[in-house]
């Protein structure tokens, strides 16, 4: 046939391995042609098994065939090169994540199909024999997948096509005659059918749950928006109320200042009027005295006697009442009354802040409710005790504790008379000598205790103290603790109003409501106290290079808490530390 009339398809003369025009073409006994280097490379890789097969039809040869150059095919390929026919459309090279063709050499093309019989993946060119060759008709092709070796039985190197229900694993046919002989086995297809139904039910349930969660998200978003609007309104209304409260306090402030001023003005006017009358009386007496002086000095007896009666008449009693002058005048009583008003307002506000905090904390976007049990296992879980907390975790190191540091000062009005305050009311020392404190309703009269001014509530607080001496008790109390007498209602930790840790050189003891817990821990001269009011926890730590938990009280606090201390022994002292 004339060369011009030969119509040659490019891919008919391409090597099935490298997909390029044949170079030094050779033909195997089965009739398929390859580049000599490509087929030799393929067979070199299987030399150790001693069985050689055609990469296309899988026909095997033993021993290894001797390859010779196909001269006629080489000439046809040379003529094809001279015709300049266009090469076949380019295929996509395999990239990261793609399955590559097992039969491409050099840079591999992307596989389009995997054969579960051959356990190999093929690009568009190399898969063609599976569509055209009769020997491949029974092979099962699927979309390209990786890790085909996982489809082989590790023991028998056969395709996995059976499912063992007893061991819930995939096996090959040889396995059913071996270790799985007495097990319940079915075909992988049959097991897949049952599992597929179960999978469909699971997918349906997941879709339903997705829809439920989407509805829940929508409700939460609406609730959050409603909460934001409500909070904005309440903040504005609260600001209005507090503004009115501040204005009321400022009005009282103005009235008190005006009252003191008016009282001062009236008293000054009264005193100045009295002074003026006294000065007038003094002037009149001085005039009379001036008239009497010449009479007392005259030598004319007749003149003296004639004027004595008129000039020596005793002065008329003045109309001014006698007065007792207050030399220690002061408005100190007014200041005391104003100070007591401040204390009452602060105490009232702190108490109400606890109520407000409790009320605010009850406002929640959602509440956690366990779903209805769906099976017996979930019903049995209802008998298990589980505690879930949404509280933020307690600080783990001193740096985190210091974020909640609180500045405290001792209240002199509460100090027992054997306690001496110093360093700006931040240090207390036990003394044998009685201190000259004035009487006060809040002073401890029997137990050597003192409280701080600051009431703590609705927040997290941390403070540290350094103690020395025989022993010290460190704690907190409600303001209502008794101040008079020796009974349990007065001592820190001896009643239901207070919590404390007793410290000595030998041990620690936690106390509340007269119940004691002995604590074994190394001696520490510095104690850290951490209060989480809303969580109801009060924790005591020994502070050194690390934080050593001594004891933690867990309860519900209902009133502001006042830090307090009790000391005993000569020169025993407690100092509230400055925390930066």
């Amino acid at each position: 046939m004339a060369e011009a009339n030969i119509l040659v398809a490019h891919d008919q003369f391409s090597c099935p391995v490298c997909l390029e025009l044949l170079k030094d073409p050779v033909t195997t006994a089965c009739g398929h042609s390859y580049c000599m280097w490509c087929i030799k490379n393929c067979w070199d890789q299987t030399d150790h098994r001693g069985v050689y097969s055609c990469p296309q039809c899988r026909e095997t040869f033993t021993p290894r065939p001797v390859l010779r150059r196909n001269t006629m095919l080489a000439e046809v390929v040379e003529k094809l090169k001279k015709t300049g026919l266009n090469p076949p459309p380019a295929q996509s090279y395999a990239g990261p994540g793609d399955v590559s063709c097992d039969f491409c050499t050099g840079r591999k093309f992307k596989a389009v199909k995997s054969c579960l019989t051959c356990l190999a993946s093929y690009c568009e060119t190399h898969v063609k024999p599976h569509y055209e060759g009769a020997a491949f008709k029974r092979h099962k092709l699927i979309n390209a997948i990786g890790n085909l070796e996982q489809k082989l039985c590790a023991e028998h190197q056969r395709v996995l096509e059976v499912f063992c229900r007893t061991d819930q694993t995939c096996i090959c046919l040889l396995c059913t005659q071996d270790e799985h002989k007495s097990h319940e086995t079915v075909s992988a297809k049959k097991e897949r059918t049952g599992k597929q139904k179960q999978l469909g039910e699971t997918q349906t349930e997941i879709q339903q749950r997705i829809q439920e969660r989407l509805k829940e998200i929508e409700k939460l978003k609406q609730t959050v928006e409603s909460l934001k609007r409500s909070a904005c309104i309440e903040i504005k209304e609260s600001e209005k109320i507090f503004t009115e409260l501040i204005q009321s306090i400022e009005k009282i402030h103005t009235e008190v200042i005006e009252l003191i001023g008016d009282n001062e003005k009236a008293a000054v006017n009264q005193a100045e009027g009295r002074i003026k009358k006294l000065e007038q009386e003094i002037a009149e007496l001085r005039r009379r005295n001036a008239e009497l002086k010449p009479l007392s000095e005259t030598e004319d007896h007749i003149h003296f006697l004639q004027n004595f009666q008129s000039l020596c008449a005793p002065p008329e009693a003045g109309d001014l009442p006698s007065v007792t002058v207050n030399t220690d005048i002061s408005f100190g009583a007014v200041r005391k009354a104003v100070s007591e008003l401040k204390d009452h307002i602060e105490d009232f506000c702190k108490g109400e802040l606890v109520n407000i905090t409790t009320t605010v904390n009850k406002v929640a976007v959602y509440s956690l409710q366990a779903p209805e049990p769906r099976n017996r296992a979930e019903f049995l879980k209802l008998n298990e005790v589980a505690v879930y907390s949404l509280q933020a975790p307690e600080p783990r190191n001193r740096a985190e504790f210091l974020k909640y540091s609180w500045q405290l000062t001792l209240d002199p009005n509460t100090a027992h008379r054997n306690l001496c305050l110093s360093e700006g009311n931040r240090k207390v020392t036990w003394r044998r000598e009685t201190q000259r404190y004035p009487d006060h309703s809040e002073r401890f009269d029997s137990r050597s205790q003192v409280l701080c001014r600051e009431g703590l509530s609705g927040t997290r607080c941390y403070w540290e103290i350094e103690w020395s001496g025989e022993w010290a008790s460190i704690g907190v109390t409600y303001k209502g603790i008794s101040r008079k007498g020796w009974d349990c209602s007065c001592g820190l930790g001896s009643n239901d109003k207070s919590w404390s840790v007793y410290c000595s050189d030998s041990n620690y003891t936690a106390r509340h409501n007269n119940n004691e817990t002995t604590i074994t821990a190394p001696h520490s001269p510095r104690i850290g106290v951490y209060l989480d009011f809303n969580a109801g926890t009060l924790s005591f730590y020994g502070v050194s290079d690390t934080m050593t938990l001594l004891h933690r009280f867990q309860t519900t606090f209902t009133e502001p808490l006042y830090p307090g201390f009790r000391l005993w022994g000569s020169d025993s002292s407690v100092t509230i530390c400055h925390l930066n």
Side-chain angles (χ1 to χ4, degrees):
M1 184 178 294
E3 179 176 324
N5 295 327
I6 298 177
L7 183 59
V8 183
H10 187 284
D11 57 354
Q12 287 180 296
F13 297 96
S14 295
C15 173
V17 176
C18 67
L19 304 181
E20 297 178 359
L21 283 175
L22 291 165
K23 300 174 183 177
D24 293 330
V26 294
T27 303
T28 61
C30 60
H32 292 107
S33 300
Y34 302 91
C35 298
M36 181 176 289
W37 186 90
C38 292
I39 190 63
K40 285 183 65 176
N41 184 55
C42 287
W43 286 352
D44 287 345
Q45 294 176 16
T46 60
D47 253 345
H48 62 283
R49 291 188 296 183
V51 178
Y52 309 91
S53 63
C54 171
Q56 292 194 71
C57 68
R58 298 292 178 172
E59 182 177 341
T60 59
F61 312 104
T62 305
R64 178 170 175 168
V66 177
L67 298 173
R68 291 185 175 85
R69 188 169 185 266
N70 189 324
T71 306
M72 182 181 296
L73 190 56
E75 292 176 356
V76 173
V77 170
E78 287 301 319
K79 291 179 180 179
L80 180 61
K81 289 180 180 179
K82 293 177 181 179
T83 62
L85 294 178
N86 292 328
Q91 299 186 69
S92 298
Y93 287 107
D98 291 332
V99 179
S100 60
C101 177
D102 292 323
F103 286 86
C104 290
T105 59
R107 187 176 180 183
K108 294 180 178 289
F109 285 115
K110 180 179 177 181
V112 294
K113 293 292 180 179
S114 295
C115 177
L116 296 182
T117 305
C118 301
L119 290 178
S121 297
Y122 303 92
C123 63
E124 291 181 355
T125 300
H126 287 130
V127 78
K128 287 182 179 180
H130 277 76
Y131 295 126
E132 300 169 354
F136 299 106
K137 292 298 182 181
R138 294 184 180 181
H139 289 201
K140 186 173 182 180
L141 291 176
I142 61 172
N143 290 331
I145 59 173
N147 300 321
L148 284 172
E149 63 274 6
Q150 294 181 0
K151 307 297 185 296
L152 279 179
C153 173
E155 183 176 353
H156 302 109
Q157 295 299 307
R158 297 285 295 271
V159 177
L160 300 174
E161 49 188 330
V162 179
F163 185 79
C164 176
R165 289 179 172 174
T166 305
D167 292 339
Q168 291 291 301
T169 186
C170 294
I171 59 177
C172 70
L173 285 173
L174 292 179
C175 290
T176 62
Q177 302 170 13
D178 194 0
E179 58 181 300
H180 297 269
K181 185 175 182 179
S182 60
H183 293 181
E184 180 186 1
T185 59
V186 294
S187 68
K189 181 178 181 181
K190 183 176 180 180
E191 184 66 18
R192 164 68 185 271
T193 302
K195 298 287 187 185
Q196 187 73 34
K197 181 180 179 182
Q198 183 180 344
L199 179 63
E201 293 173 353
T202 301
Q203 288 178 306
T204 301
E205 184 179 347
I206 289 174
Q207 290 299 325
Q208 290 175 350
R209 191 168 296 184
I210 290 173
Q211 294 303 316
E212 291 172 0
R213 294 298 182 259
L214 289 174
K215 291 179 181 178
E216 187 176 324
I217 289 174
E218 187 60 31
K219 288 182 180 178
L220 280 172
K221 287 181 178 180
Q222 294 176 0
T223 305
V224 167
E225 290 302 318
S226 176
L227 180 67
K228 288 181 178 179
R229 289 193 297 269
S230 178
C232 183
I233 293 172
E234 293 307 317
I235 289 173
K236 290 181 180 179
E237 291 299 318
S238 296
E239 288 178 345
K240 180 180 178 182
I241 293 171
F242 277 107
T243 299
E244 293 173 353
L245 177 60
I246 293 170
Q247 290 174 346
S248 297
I249 294 175
E250 289 177 344
K251 183 179 179 182
I252 295 173
H253 171 221
T254 302
E255 291 176 354
V256 170
I257 298 302
E258 290 177 350
L259 179 63
I260 294 174
D262 292 344
N263 185 280
E264 174 198 13
K265 185 176 180 181
V268 169
N269 288 341
Q270 184 182 17
E272 288 178 346
R274 177 77 181 181
I275 290 171
K276 185 176 181 180
K277 290 182 178 180
L278 290 172
E279 288 175 344
Q280 290 175 350
E281 183 176 343
I282 290 171
E284 178 62 21
L285 291 173
R286 285 176 175 170
R287 185 188 63 75
R288 290 279 308 278
N289 187 53
E291 292 178 350
L292 291 175
K293 185 176 180 181
L295 182 63
S296 65
E297 294 175 351
T298 184
E299 296 178 355
D300 186 343
H301 303 306
I302 299 299
H303 176 73
F304 178 86
L305 293 173
Q306 288 176 338
N307 291 282
F308 175 80
Q309 192 65 30
S310 60
L311 294 177
C312 287
E316 297 179 359
D319 58 353
L320 296 175
S322 62
V323 296
T324 301
V325 178
N326 182 6
T327 59
D328 193 26
I329 189 169
S330 171
F331 283 98
V334 177
R335 182 172 65 251
K336 181 179 179 182
V338 172
S339 179
E340 290 177 352
L341 173 63
K342 178 183 81 73
D343 292 341
H344 288 318
I345 292 176
E346 287 180 348
D347 291 343
F348 176 78
C349 289
K350 288 174 182 176
E352 288 303 307
L353 179 59
V354 175
N355 297 332
I356 293 172
T357 301
T358 302
T359 303
V360 171
N361 288 339
K362 288 180 180 178
V363 178
V365 175
Y366 62 89
S367 59
L368 295 178
Q369 183 176 0
E372 187 77 16
R374 294 166 293 182
N375 50 53
R376 184 173 181 272
E378 293 186 358
F379 272 107
L380 291 176
K381 285 186 178 179
L382 295 178
N383 294 325
E384 299 176 1
V385 178
V387 178
Y388 299 93
S389 174
L390 295 179
Q391 285 294 132
E394 188 155 307
R396 295 163 295 181
N397 52 55
R398 188 166 180 266
E400 293 184 4
F401 279 105
L402 291 177
K403 294 177 182 178
Y404 305 102
S405 61
W406 204 264
Q407 300 302 321
L408 301 174
T409 53
L410 301 169
D411 185 356
N413 292 332
T414 66
H416 183 267
R417 286 187 169 88
N418 283 114
L419 299 181
C420 176
L421 305 188
S422 59
E423 296 184 10
N425 291 339
R426 296 180 66 87
K427 181 177 181 179
V428 54
T429 306
W430 191 91
R431 300 285 191 220
R432 291 189 180 277
E433 304 81 13
T434 301
Q435 308 300 306
R436 298 179 62 183
Y437 294 133
D439 291 336
H440 199 283
S441 60
E442 296 186 358
R443 190 175 309 286
F444 291 98
D445 66 354
S446 298
R447 295 185 182 257
S448 52
Q449 298 178 160
V450 62
L451 303 183
C452 291
R453 292 181 182 274
E454 295 77 14
L456 310 176
S457 64
T459 184
R460 295 179 170 198
C461 307
Y462 176 75
W463 62 97
E464 292 180 356
I465 65 97
E466 289 187 348
W467 71 279
S468 62
E470 291 188 29
W471 61 262
S473 188
I474 304 158
V476 297
T477 179
Y478 294 146
K479 193 166 188 177
I481 189 172
S482 179
R483 315 299 173 100
K484 311 302 177 186
W486 282 97
D487 61 26
C488 292
S489 62
C490 301
L492 282 175
S494 300
N495 47 69
D496 61 357
K497 293 182 174 63
S498 59
W499 298 258
S500 71
V501 167
Y502 168 96
C503 307
S504 71
D505 286 336
S506 58
N507 64 8
Y508 299 96
T509 304
R511 295 177 175 175
H512 172 62
N513 205 16
N514 222 21
N515 294 318
E516 297 186 354
T517 302
T518 301
I519 304 166
T520 302
H523 172 74
S524 176
R526 179 175 284 230
I527 303 296
V529 186
Y530 174 71
L531 168 67
D532 190 336
F533 190 93
N534 293 333
T537 59
L538 176 68
S539 306
F540 293 81
Y541 290 86
V543 181
S544 56
D545 293 335
T546 58
M547 304 288 288
T548 303
L549 178 64
L550 302 178
H551 189 77
R552 178 180 291 115
F553 294 100
Q554 183 70 56
T555 184
T556 300
F557 299 118
T558 58
E559 302 176 31
L561 294 167
Y562 291 81
F565 311 97
R566 184 183 179 189
L567 302 175
W568 182 259
S570 180
D571 294 330
S572 293
S573 69
V574 166
T575 302
I576 301 173
C577 303
H578 285 282
L579 300 178
N580 297 326

